Amino acid sequence: ALAAQVMPNGEHDKLISEQPSEGILRNADFPNWLDPPDGLIVSANQRPPCELSIGRFYSSPERAERLRVLLNAAPTLDRLQLVAIQNDVMSRRAFALSRRLVQAARSEPGALPSRAAELLFILESWDGSYDAEAPGAAVFEALLYHFVRLYYPKDVLTAYAASWATRDIIRADIEQASLGRLGPVVRKAFQRCPAAKPWGEIHRLVLQHPLGLLPGAGRSYRVGDLPTSGGSETVMKTANGLSARRHRVRFGANARFITDLSEPDENHFVLLGGQDGWFGSVNFSDQVRLWRQREYIRIPLRSEAVRQSFRQTLVLRPA
């Protein structure tokens, strides 16, 4: 969840890549970096800085940008700082877009109905955090949902939805539009929004065995319907489509690893769910609590440390 290629200012003075005009591409033809000056290579499924056509669908660069900001802001990095970074749920782009929408709403004369005015105040107070307890995130997502349905024809929305960077496209349109055009639509969208709720009340993490998708009987294979933090563009990613209602997380960063390469025993892991796909196993969902509470399991590699940390031994013998 924390590894592609983002370079300062979109390029790198040690980017090694010759761009062939035709023929078979070799490993050396793809972007690669050797000893980056700042010591960082950051990746979050964003488009790499090269002219080669190596893919069609890329995620928004926001997560990679946020990771680089957080990593560069720390004078030194220890495990606790990395835990905080992996669990970061701040979206600066969503925050900037919310300021633009607020500005548009305020640009129109006249008072809003009471509920819409309350929602506008909540959004004005929002800092861009997608914490489960934050009502501002829920207001922003509901406003954006209703805004795009008022602002775009259905066929345009369908085309935008085909991209992995739908929010970036919408954001660019809003930034380029005049306040005079945006204002009436934003105010109307505010009036369609439901009452404010904590983000986690509508943003749900549903954990289940694949058989949980079955109608009716699938309920027996579901182990949780939980409030969760994060969003589509936060480092701790729990992606969702545009929605003003209660919805499920579609996908996200479900595994966290921190390894100290100078110390073989300092490896920390947590996996959302567990390490067994057999429904009913004690290991099917035994790491859910750890994942939600931002805790990790330490996995040493030295034999003596392993014996001290784990008292049980699993012996496998051929039949």
Side-chain angles (χ1 to χ4, degrees), residues 142-188:
L143 177 65
L144 192 61
Y145 171 85
H146 288 295
F147 172 85
V148 299
R149 276 151 182 76
L150 292 167
Y151 192 74
Y152 295 107
K154 180 180 279 189
D155 58 339
V156 173
L157 272 183
T158 301
Y160 280 13
S163 167
W164 275 23
T166 304
R167 291 168 183 261
D168 285 342
I169 301 172
I170 294 170
R171 183 183 299 110
D173 288 346
I174 293 174
E175 289 172 349
Q176 294 171 14
S178 67
L179 293 179
R181 183 181 179 191
L182 294 174
V185 184
V186 174
R187 289 170 71 90
K188 189 173 182 179

Side-chain angles (χ1 to χ4, degrees), residues 14 27 164 287:
K14 288 192 177 181
N27 236 8
W164 275 23
Q287 294 184 43

Side-chain angles (χ1 to χ4, degrees), residues 6-12 15 49-50:
V6 140
M7 295 294 110
N9 301 320
E11 59 185 5
H12 205 296
L15 175 63
C50 71

Side-chain angles (χ1 to χ4, degrees), residues 129-307:
S129 171
Y130 277 78
D131 186 90
E133 301 299 321
V139 172
F140 171 74
E141 290 287 329
L143 177 65
L144 192 61
Y145 171 85
H146 288 295
F147 172 85
V148 299
R149 276 151 182 76
L150 292 167
Y151 192 74
Y152 295 107
K154 180 180 279 189
D155 58 339
V156 173
L157 272 183
T158 301
Y160 280 13
S163 167
W164 275 23
T166 304
R167 291 168 183 261
D168 285 342
I169 301 172
I170 294 170
R171 183 183 299 110
D173 288 346
I174 293 174
E175 289 172 349
Q176 294 171 14
S178 67
L179 293 179
R181 183 181 179 191
L182 294 174
V185 184
V186 174
R187 289 170 71 90
K188 189 173 182 179
F190 263 119
Q191 295 177 54
R192 294 190 176 188
C193 290
K197 296 179 180 179
W199 175 235
E201 190 169 327
I202 65 170
H203 190 60
R204 311 296 294 185
L205 180 63
V206 177
L207 300 174
Q208 61 186 12
H209 186 275
L211 292 177
L213 297 173
L214 293 173
R219 295 178 181 177
S220 301
Y221 295 92
R222 295 171 195 155
V223 296
D225 182 349
L226 310 168
T228 190
S229 301
S232 295
E233 298 176 335
T234 57
V235 173
M236 204 281 278
K237 184 169 186 172
T238 54
N240 63 280
L242 296 175
S243 176
R245 299 178 179 179
R246 185 181 175 106
H247 57 262
R248 294 183 179 188
V249 171
R250 292 184 175 180
F251 57 87
N254 66 338
R256 301 175 188 142
F257 307 151
I258 298 174
T259 295
D260 184 345
L261 297 180
S262 67
E263 176 48 66
D265 293 335
E266 291 304 316
N267 308 288
H268 300 263
F269 303 85
V270 68
L271 179 66
L272 177 60
Q275 292 184 293
D276 194 336
W278 189 267
F279 189 81
S281 164
V282 295
N283 302 120
F284 182 78
S285 58
D286 61 341
Q287 294 184 43
V288 173
R289 180 190 61 81
L290 296 175
W291 190 88
R292 296 188 70 218
Q293 296 182 1
R294 304 180 180 183
E295 297 178 9
Y296 293 65
I297 300 171
R298 178 174 173 267
I299 306 294
L301 296 182
R302 290 190 180 98
S303 297
E304 182 58 33
V306 170
R307 283 192 291 269

